[in-house]
Amino acid sequence: MKSASVRTRIKFCGFTRAGDVRLACELGVDAIGLVFAESSPRRLQVEEARALRHAIAPLVSSVALFKDNPPERVREIVRLLRPNALQFHGNEEDAFCRSFGIPYIKAIAMGDPAALDVRTLHGRYPHAAALMFDSHVTGGEGGSGKPFDWQRLPVDNTKPLMVAGGLTSDNVAGLITTRAPWAVDVASGIESEPGVKDGDKMRAFVAEVHRADCQNEHESGYRLPSGDHCG
């Protein structure tokens, strides 16, 4: 979990249109997700992805998302797009994920009823830059629009903790004020259809994250760094 001194990072994922990418960057998101999972409705071809990559503003991170893609496909995307991070949603092992020489995020399927042992997760993915807890079941797709029980999130996690799955402007503030993740990740919650972002939903989502951060700031008594704190 994050401390009161760290604002909640925002990642918007599953883009297919350059105009949506530019708006997201203008709204101040921290990362843009580009999907290459073969079965995803938001999956991009290389030329589409290159156009979107060029639309990402300086200082905004690009994240390439995979799900059990062959290593040659991952290497191709890394070579052509030079993403800042990789995100893996399949059965990839730590050695595979780290073999591309780029920080990686590992998605953890929360749609399964099995209890989580955070020490086991850290042992399985020791080199993960962050762990993302998503609502999909093992072998299933993300971006379903369905949340999971946030009470299942580990409280003793020592890696940056990201949450995805069913987040919208209606519920993200509740997640932040009660569970305080390091980052939130959203796709379907800011869309009119898969891959097509809705500007009003994007603006509302960012506003709610900022509102929740302000609430946490006031309750903790901590003032975020100049330029980030609430008025």
Side-chain angles (χ1 to χ4, degrees), residues 42-80:
R42 302 171 182 87
R43 178 174 61 92
L44 297 169
Q45 300 301 322
V46 171
E47 287 307 313
E48 295 174 310
R50 292 179 74 171
L52 298 182
R53 180 69 176 89
H54 291 315
I56 299 176
L59 304 184
V60 177
S61 296
S62 60
V63 181
L65 187 153
F66 303 95
K67 179 176 177 289
D68 296 320
N69 295 71
E72 57 272 16
R73 178 61 168 170
V74 181
R75 283 193 291 268
E76 177 189 30
I77 297 303
V78 169
R79 177 176 60 85
L80 294 175

Coordinates of all heavy atoms in Angstrom, one line a residue, residues 42-80:
R42 N -9.1 -5.1 -27.9 CA -8.3 -3.8 -28.0 C -6.9 -4.1 -28.6 O -6.0 -3.2 -28.6 CB -8.1 -3.2 -26.6 CG -9.5 -2.9 -26.0 CD -9.3 -2.4 -24.5 NE -10.6 -2.2 -23.9 CZ -11.3 -3.1 -23.3 NH1 -10.9 -4.4 -23.3 NH2 -12.5 -2.8 -22.8
R43 N -6.7 -5.3 -29.1 CA -5.4 -5.6 -29.7 C -5.0 -4.8 -30.8 O -5.8 -4.5 -31.7 CB -5.4 -7.1 -30.1 CG -4.1 -7.6 -30.7 CD -4.1 -9.1 -31.0 NE -5.2 -9.4 -31.9 CZ -5.0 -9.5 -33.3 NH1 -3.8 -9.2 -33.8 NH2 -6.0 -9.8 -34.0
L44 N -3.7 -4.4 -30.9 CA -3.2 -3.5 -31.9 C -2.2 -4.2 -32.8 O -1.5 -5.2 -32.4 CB -2.4 -2.3 -31.2 CG -3.1 -1.4 -30.3 CD1 -2.2 -0.5 -29.6 CD2 -4.1 -0.5 -31.2
Q45 N -2.2 -3.8 -34.1 CA -1.2 -4.2 -35.0 C 0.0 -3.2 -34.9 O -0.1 -2.1 -34.3 CB -1.7 -4.2 -36.4 CG -2.9 -5.1 -36.7 CD -2.6 -6.6 -36.4 OE1 -1.4 -7.0 -36.7 NE2 -3.5 -7.3 -35.8
V46 N 1.1 -3.6 -35.4 CA 2.3 -2.8 -35.1 C 2.2 -1.4 -35.6 O 2.5 -0.5 -34.9 CB 3.6 -3.5 -35.8 CG1 4.8 -2.6 -35.7 CG2 3.9 -4.8 -35.0
E47 N 1.7 -1.2 -36.8 CA 1.6 0.1 -37.4 C 0.7 1.0 -36.6 O 0.9 2.2 -36.4 CB 1.3 0.1 -38.9 CG 2.4 -0.4 -39.8 CD 3.7 0.4 -39.6 OE1 3.6 1.6 -39.5 OE2 4.7 -0.2 -39.4
E48 N -0.4 0.4 -36.2 CA -1.4 1.1 -35.3 C -0.7 1.6 -34.0 O -0.8 2.7 -33.6 CB -2.6 0.3 -35.0 CG -3.4 -0.1 -36.1 CD -4.5 -1.1 -35.7 OE1 -4.2 -2.1 -35.1 OE2 -5.7 -0.9 -36.1
A49 N 0.0 0.6 -33.4 CA 0.7 0.9 -32.2 C 1.8 2.0 -32.3 O 1.9 2.9 -31.4 CB 1.3 -0.3 -31.6
R50 N 2.5 2.0 -33.4 CA 3.5 3.0 -33.7 C 2.9 4.4 -33.7 O 3.4 5.4 -33.2 CB 4.3 2.7 -34.9 CG 5.1 1.5 -34.8 CD 5.9 1.2 -36.0 NE 7.0 2.1 -36.3 CZ 7.9 1.9 -37.2 NH1 7.9 0.9 -38.0 NH2 8.9 2.8 -37.3
A51 N 1.7 4.6 -34.4 CA 1.0 5.8 -34.4 C 0.6 6.3 -33.1 O 0.7 7.5 -32.7 CB -0.2 5.7 -35.4
L52 N 0.1 5.4 -32.2 CA -0.3 5.7 -30.9 C 0.9 6.1 -30.0 O 0.9 7.0 -29.2 CB -1.1 4.6 -30.2 CG -2.4 4.2 -30.9 CD1 -3.0 3.1 -30.2 CD2 -3.3 5.4 -31.1
R53 N 2.0 5.4 -30.2 CA 3.2 5.6 -29.4 C 3.7 7.1 -29.7 O 4.2 7.8 -28.8 CB 4.3 4.6 -29.8 CG 5.6 4.8 -29.1 CD 5.5 4.5 -27.6 NE 6.8 4.6 -26.9 CZ 7.2 5.7 -26.3 NH1 6.6 6.8 -26.4 NH2 8.4 5.6 -25.7
H54 N 3.6 7.5 -31.0 CA 4.1 8.9 -31.3 C 3.2 9.9 -30.7 O 3.6 11.1 -30.5 CB 4.1 9.0 -32.8 CG 5.2 8.3 -33.5 ND1 6.5 8.2 -33.0 CD2 5.2 7.5 -34.6 CE1 7.2 7.4 -33.8 NE2 6.5 7.0 -34.8
A55 N 1.9 9.6 -30.3 CA 1.0 10.5 -29.8 C 1.2 10.7 -28.3 O 0.6 11.6 -27.7 CB -0.5 10.1 -30.0
I56 N 1.9 9.8 -27.6 CA 2.2 9.9 -26.2 C 3.1 11.1 -25.9 O 4.2 11.2 -26.5 CB 2.7 8.6 -25.6 CG1 1.7 7.5 -25.9 CG2 3.0 8.7 -24.1 CD1 2.3 6.1 -25.5
A57 N 2.7 11.9 -25.0 CA 3.4 13.1 -24.6 C 4.7 12.8 -23.9 O 4.8 11.7 -23.2 CB 2.6 14.0 -23.8
P58 N 5.7 13.6 -23.9 CA 6.9 13.4 -23.1 C 6.6 13.3 -21.6 O 5.6 14.0 -21.2 CB 7.8 14.7 -23.4 CG 7.3 15.2 -24.7 CD 5.8 14.9 -24.8
L59 N 7.3 12.5 -20.9 CA 7.2 12.3 -19.5 C 6.0 11.4 -19.1 O 5.7 11.1 -18.0 CB 7.1 13.6 -18.7 CG 8.3 14.5 -18.9 CD1 8.2 15.7 -18.0 CD2 9.7 13.8 -18.7
V60 N 5.2 11.0 -20.1 CA 4.1 10.0 -19.9 C 4.6 8.6 -20.4 O 5.1 8.5 -21.5 CB 2.8 10.4 -20.7 CG1 1.7 9.3 -20.5 CG2 2.3 11.7 -20.2
S61 N 4.5 7.6 -19.5 CA 5.1 6.3 -19.8 C 4.2 5.5 -20.7 O 2.9 5.6 -20.7 CB 5.2 5.5 -18.5 OG 6.2 6.1 -17.6
S62 N 4.8 4.7 -21.6 CA 4.1 3.8 -22.4 C 4.3 2.4 -21.9 O 5.4 2.0 -21.5 CB 4.6 3.9 -23.9 OG 6.0 3.6 -23.9
V63 N 3.2 1.6 -21.8 CA 3.2 0.3 -21.3 C 2.6 -0.7 -22.4 O 1.5 -0.5 -22.8 CB 2.4 0.2 -20.0 CG1 2.5 -1.3 -19.4 CG2 2.9 1.2 -19.0
A64 N 3.4 -1.7 -22.7 CA 2.9 -2.7 -23.7 C 2.4 -3.9 -23.0 O 3.1 -4.5 -22.1 CB 4.1 -3.1 -24.6
L65 N 1.2 -4.3 -23.3 CA 0.5 -5.4 -22.5 C 0.5 -6.7 -23.4 O 0.1 -6.6 -24.5 CB -0.9 -4.9 -22.2 CG -1.7 -5.8 -21.2 CD1 -2.7 -5.0 -20.5 CD2 -2.5 -6.9 -22.0
F66 N 0.8 -7.8 -22.7 CA 0.9 -9.1 -23.4 C 0.2 -10.1 -22.5 O 0.0 -10.0 -21.3 CB 2.3 -9.5 -23.6 CG 3.1 -8.6 -24.4 CD1 3.9 -7.6 -23.8 CD2 3.1 -8.6 -25.8 CE1 4.7 -6.7 -24.5 CE2 3.9 -7.7 -26.5 CZ 4.7 -6.7 -25.9
K67 N -0.2 -11.2 -23.2 CA -0.8 -12.4 -22.5 C -0.4 -13.6 -23.2 O -1.0 -14.0 -24.3 CB -2.3 -12.2 -22.4 CG -3.0 -13.4 -21.7 CD -4.5 -13.2 -21.6 CE -5.2 -14.4 -21.0 NZ -5.2 -15.5 -22.0
D68 N 0.7 -14.3 -22.7 CA 1.2 -15.5 -23.3 C 1.6 -15.4 -24.8 O 1.4 -16.3 -25.5 CB 0.1 -16.6 -23.1 CG -0.1 -17.0 -21.6 OD1 0.9 -17.0 -20.9 OD2 -1.3 -17.2 -21.3
N69 N 2.0 -14.2 -25.1 CA 2.5 -14.0 -26.5 C 3.9 -14.7 -26.6 O 4.6 -14.8 -25.7 CB 2.7 -12.5 -26.8 CG 1.4 -11.7 -26.8 OD1 0.8 -11.5 -25.8 ND2 1.0 -11.3 -28.0
P70 N 4.2 -15.2 -27.8 CA 5.5 -15.8 -28.0 C 6.6 -14.7 -27.8 O 6.4 -13.5 -28.1 CB 5.5 -16.3 -29.5 CG 4.4 -15.5 -30.1 CD 3.4 -15.2 -29.1
P71 N 7.8 -15.2 -27.4 CA 8.9 -14.2 -27.1 C 9.3 -13.4 -28.3 O 9.6 -12.2 -28.1 CB 10.0 -15.1 -26.6 CG 9.7 -16.5 -27.1 CD 8.2 -16.6 -27.1
E72 N 9.2 -13.9 -29.5 CA 9.6 -13.1 -30.7 C 8.7 -12.0 -30.9 O 9.1 -10.9 -31.4 CB 9.7 -14.0 -31.9 CG 8.5 -14.8 -32.3 CD 8.4 -16.1 -31.6 OE1 9.1 -16.4 -30.6 OE2 7.5 -16.9 -32.1
R73 N 7.4 -12.2 -30.6 CA 6.4 -11.1 -30.7 C 6.8 -9.9 -29.7 O 6.7 -8.8 -30.0 CB 5.0 -11.6 -30.5 CG 3.9 -10.5 -30.5 CD 3.9 -9.8 -31.9 NE 2.7 -9.0 -32.0 CZ 2.4 -8.2 -33.0 NH1 3.4 -8.0 -33.9 NH2 1.3 -7.5 -33.1
V74 N 7.1 -10.3 -28.5 CA 7.4 -9.3 -27.4 C 8.7 -8.6 -27.8 O 8.7 -7.4 -27.7 CB 7.6 -10.0 -26.1 CG1 7.9 -9.0 -25.0 CG2 6.3 -10.8 -25.7
R75 N 9.7 -9.3 -28.3 CA 10.9 -8.7 -28.7 C 10.7 -7.7 -29.9 O 11.3 -6.6 -30.0 CB 11.9 -9.7 -29.2 CG 12.6 -10.4 -28.0 CD 13.8 -11.2 -28.4 NE 13.5 -12.3 -29.2 CZ 13.2 -13.5 -28.8 NH1 13.4 -13.8 -27.5 NH2 12.9 -14.5 -29.6
E76 N 9.7 -8.1 -30.8 CA 9.4 -7.2 -31.9 C 8.8 -5.9 -31.4 O 9.2 -4.8 -31.9 CB 8.5 -7.8 -32.9 CG 8.0 -7.0 -34.1 CD 6.9 -7.6 -34.9 OE1 6.1 -8.3 -34.3 OE2 6.8 -7.3 -36.1
I77 N 7.9 -6.0 -30.5 CA 7.2 -4.8 -30.0 C 8.2 -3.9 -29.2 O 8.3 -2.7 -29.3 CB 6.1 -5.1 -29.1 CG1 5.0 -5.9 -29.9 CG2 5.5 -3.9 -28.4 CD1 4.4 -5.1 -31.1
V78 N 9.1 -4.5 -28.4 CA 10.1 -3.8 -27.7 C 11.0 -3.1 -28.7 O 11.4 -1.9 -28.4 CB 10.9 -4.8 -26.8 CG1 12.1 -4.1 -26.2 CG2 10.0 -5.3 -25.7
R79 N 11.4 -3.7 -29.7 CA 12.4 -3.1 -30.7 C 11.7 -1.9 -31.4 O 12.4 -0.9 -31.6 CB 12.8 -4.2 -31.7 CG 13.8 -3.6 -32.8 CD 14.3 -4.8 -33.7 NE 13.2 -5.4 -34.3 CZ 12.6 -5.0 -35.5 NH1 13.0 -3.9 -36.1 NH2 11.6 -5.7 -36.0
L80 N 10.5 -2.1 -31.8 CA 9.8 -1.1 -32.6 C 9.2 0.1 -31.8 O 9.2 1.2 -32.3 CB 8.7 -1.7 -33.5 CG 9.2 -2.7 -34.6 CD1 8.0 -3.4 -35.2 CD2 10.1 -2.0 -35.6

